[in-house]
């Protein structure tokens, strides 16, 4: 097994970590604070706390808070324009994966000409080289969801083309990441679950991916164990700081898995789904297809040992039994109130499946399975998932 990994990010982890930001050497003198609509960050005082930290560090700032929950190319281009107009020399992302991913893409376009899709390497992207180094980024995550604070990728949607895909450069890693579980206490139960299952599937997909490393194996199994144990607690009691802390680390560990490994067909399919259904929350989309995707993977001989490992990590009493992992997965979904989730809840229709199958090719995870994937397999997973509703 040969591999390499690289992460130049200084990660500050723990309750109260945000209050340490001013003690770090920040990468500039004027920050662009990148957020979604910012309602909760403003209401809960997180934005004011960030502003106070920047002031203590002697930094000016401006706020760009027009990022959508599924960030778009237009968000990126508008944000980059605002960053340039205000003379900002670094970015601070405050929020979940949407804010952090948008900030990574904005950082690229703040220093490079043209359109963001000129640089994207999948789908209809032109794959042009990024000529100029992106602006440096500080990431402050307020959710245990995407792990974007620990990797270089940014997932952005091109609304006109229904394309949702990941892209980044080695310079897209945050220079500093704040992982403060105290900022996650107010996440509502439903989004706690959606984000928590995204963490789980980052770990499980990286563990069964054909892109192998010892680092992924160790981090992924650790993250799976923590999600299985602590996500139900965080769902039932959002103020449970131990559960939030454990989920925060599982999120960062799974984000590191994305850096050292790669995702698979499950994420390729979901990115296609939420490219077509713009309001589909990423974690919900993964939940809609997860059981049928993993049932398909359980039939692959090359994955037998890894599926067993994951079932054991999920707490299965009989990890060698047929479908032990998908049973454990279904049990966890039931514990978290999403066992009956169905496509009809999100307005999904069979008529869109051909487009979803086509778009799933745009994500590199499509090619990272340990067995051949065909459009018929993708269509079958979608159909079986649809019938569950």
């Amino acid at each position: 097994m040969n591999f390499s990994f690289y992460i130049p990010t200084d990660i500050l982890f723990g309750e109260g970590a945000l209050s340490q930001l001013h003690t770090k050497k920040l990468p500039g003198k004027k920050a662009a604070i990148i957020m979604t609509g910012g309602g909760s960050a403003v209401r809960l005082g997180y934005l004011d706390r960030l502003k106070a930290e920047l002031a203590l560090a002697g930094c000016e700032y401006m706020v760009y808070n027009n990022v959508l929950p599924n960030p778009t190319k237009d968000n990126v281009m508008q944000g980059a324009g605002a960053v340039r107009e205000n003379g900002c020399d670094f970015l601070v992302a405050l929020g979940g994966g949407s804010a952090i991913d948008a900030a990574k893409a904005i950082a690229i376009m703040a220093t490079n000409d043209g359109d963001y899709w000129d640089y994207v390497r999948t789908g209809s992207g032109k794959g042009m080289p990024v000529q100029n180094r992106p602006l440096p980024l500080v990431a402050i995550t307020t959710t245990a969801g995407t792990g974007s604070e620990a990797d270089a990728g940014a997932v952005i949607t091109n609304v006109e083309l229904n394309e949702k895909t990941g892209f980044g450069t080695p310079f897209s890693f945050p220079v500093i990441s704040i992982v403060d579980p105290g900022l996650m206490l107010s996440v509502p139960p439903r989004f706690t679950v959606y984000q928590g299952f995204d963490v789980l599937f980052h770990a499980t997909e990286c563990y069964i991916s054909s892109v192998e490393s010892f680092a992924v194996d160790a981090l992924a199994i650790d993250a799976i164990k923590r999600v299985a144990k602590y996500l139900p607690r965080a769902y039932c009691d959002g103020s449970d700081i131990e559960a939030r802390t454990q989920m925060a680390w599982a999120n960062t560990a799974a984000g590191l898995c994305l850096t050292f490994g790669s995702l698979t067909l499950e994420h390729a399919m979901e990115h296609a789904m939420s490219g077509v259904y713009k309001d589909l929350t990423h974690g919900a989309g993964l939940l809609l297809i997860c059981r049928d995707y993993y049932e398909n993977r359980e039939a692959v001989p090359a994955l037998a040992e890894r599926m067993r490992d994951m079932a054991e990590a999920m707490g299965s009493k009989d990890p060698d039994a047929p479908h032990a992992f998908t049973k454990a997965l279904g049990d966890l979904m039931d514990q978290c109130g999403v066992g009956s989730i169905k496509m009809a809840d999100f307005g999904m229709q069979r008529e869109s499946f051909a487009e979803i199958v086509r778009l799933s090719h745009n994500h590199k995870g499509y090619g990272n399975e340990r067995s051949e994937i065909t459009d018929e397999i993708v269509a079958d997973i979608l159909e079986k998932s649809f019938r569950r509703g």
Side-chain angles (χ1 to χ4, degrees):
M1 185 187 295
N2 299 317
F3 59 87
S4 66
F5 59 82
Y6 168 75
I7 176 167
T9 305
D10 182 2
I11 299 176
L12 281 70
F13 183 95
E15 187 178 9
L18 176 56
S19 299
Q20 301 176 39
L21 179 61
H22 73 277
T23 68
K24 309 300 290 186
K25 180 176 173 56
L26 298 183
K29 290 297 183 182
K30 186 170 184 179
I33 300 173
I34 310 298
M35 306 166 59
T36 57
S40 61
V42 172
R43 184 179 71 255
L44 297 167
Y46 301 162
L47 179 59
D48 285 342
R49 289 176 59 187
L50 171 57
K51 289 178 178 179
E53 289 295 308
L54 292 172
L56 286 171
C59 295
E60 299 179 56
Y61 55 82
M62 56 81 67
V63 177
Y64 176 75
N65 62 351
N66 293 328
V67 175
L68 295 173
N70 278 321
T72 67
K73 180 172 73 74
D74 288 345
N75 292 158
V76 172
M77 299 306 297
Q78 292 165 6
V83 169
R84 291 187 185 193
E85 289 168 13
N86 285 273
C88 300
D89 53 6
F90 75 108
L91 280 66
V92 180
L94 177 63
S98 299
I100 299 173
D101 281 13
K104 290 175 183 175
I106 289 170
I108 290 173
M109 296 314 302
T111 59
N112 289 276
D113 295 328
D115 184 83
Y116 183 67
W117 236 246
D118 291 341
Y119 304 100
V120 169
R121 299 192 186 104
T122 54
S124 64
K126 296 180 181 178
M128 292 170 49
V130 176
Q131 297 290 343
N132 301 314
R133 188 167 182 154
L135 290 181
L137 168 66
V138 174
I140 303 170
T141 181
T142 60
T143 68
T146 67
S148 195
E149 73 278 3
D151 68 43
V155 177
I156 304 296
T157 298
N158 187 324
V159 175
E160 293 178 357
L161 301 174
N162 288 344
E163 290 184 357
K164 180 178 179 181
T165 191
F167 173 65
T169 81
F171 301 110
S172 295
F173 282 101
V175 294
I176 300 170
S177 286
I178 303 290
V179 184
D180 185 339
L183 304 181
M184 304 172 188
L185 296 172
S186 62
V187 178
R190 179 164 59 100
F191 288 103
T192 294
V193 171
Y194 289 167
Q195 294 156 8
F197 273 95
D198 192 18
V199 173
L200 177 67
F201 297 138
H202 286 162
T204 55
E205 288 181 54
C206 285
Y207 193 68
I208 65 173
S209 167
S210 60
V211 181
E212 293 185 341
S213 88
F214 294 126
V216 166
D217 288 354
L219 288 164
I221 290 296
D222 179 74
I224 293 167
K225 289 178 179 178
R226 292 178 196 272
V227 173
K229 182 174 181 179
Y230 291 103
L231 180 57
R233 281 177 50 176
Y235 164 65
C236 292
D237 180 6
S239 66
D240 184 339
I241 189 62
E242 181 188 11
R244 292 293 192 184
T245 300
Q246 295 285 347
M247 284 301 302
W249 170 245
N251 178 50
T252 298
L256 291 169
C257 288
L258 302 181
T259 294
F260 307 150
S262 189
L263 296 170
T264 63
L265 177 65
E266 183 182 21
H267 261 73
M269 290 178 64
E270 198 294 317
H271 283 184
M273 289 160 59
S274 52
V276 173
Y277 295 94
K278 307 295 190 298
D279 295 328
L280 178 61
T281 302
H282 177 56
L286 292 168
L287 282 163
L288 291 172
I289 59 173
C290 66
R291 284 168 290 192
D292 297 291
Y293 166 76
Y294 286 104
E295 282 185 2
N296 179 279
R297 297 294 83 195
E298 284 174 327
V300 177
L303 288 175
E305 184 175 351
R306 288 184 175 259
M307 297 302 298
R308 183 206 176 279
D309 292 345
M310 295 196 305
E312 186 173 44
M314 291 278 284
S316 172
K317 297 293 192 294
D318 186 8
D320 292 307
H323 305 296
F325 176 76
T326 50
K327 182 182 184 305
L329 176 58
D331 290 344
L332 183 61
M333 291 172 68
D334 288 339
Q335 291 177 59
C336 295
V338 289
S340 61
I341 193 170
K342 53 185 180 295
M343 289 184 172
D345 295 336
F346 300 89
M348 292 186 64
Q349 300 177 351
R350 277 194 177 97
E351 289 74 15
S352 66
F353 287 178
E355 176 75 346
I356 291 169
V357 170
R358 182 183 70 82
L359 291 169
S360 66
H361 287 269
N362 292 344
H363 189 286
K364 63 180 182 180
Y366 190 101
N368 290 337
E369 295 286 355
R370 295 179 190 241
S371 65
E372 182 183 6
I373 296 297
T374 65
D375 287 354
E376 288 73 23
I377 288 173
V378 179
D380 184 60
I381 292 170
L382 288 169
E383 177 62 26
K384 288 179 177 175
S385 299
F386 186 84
R387 289 177 185 169
R388 287 182 182 272

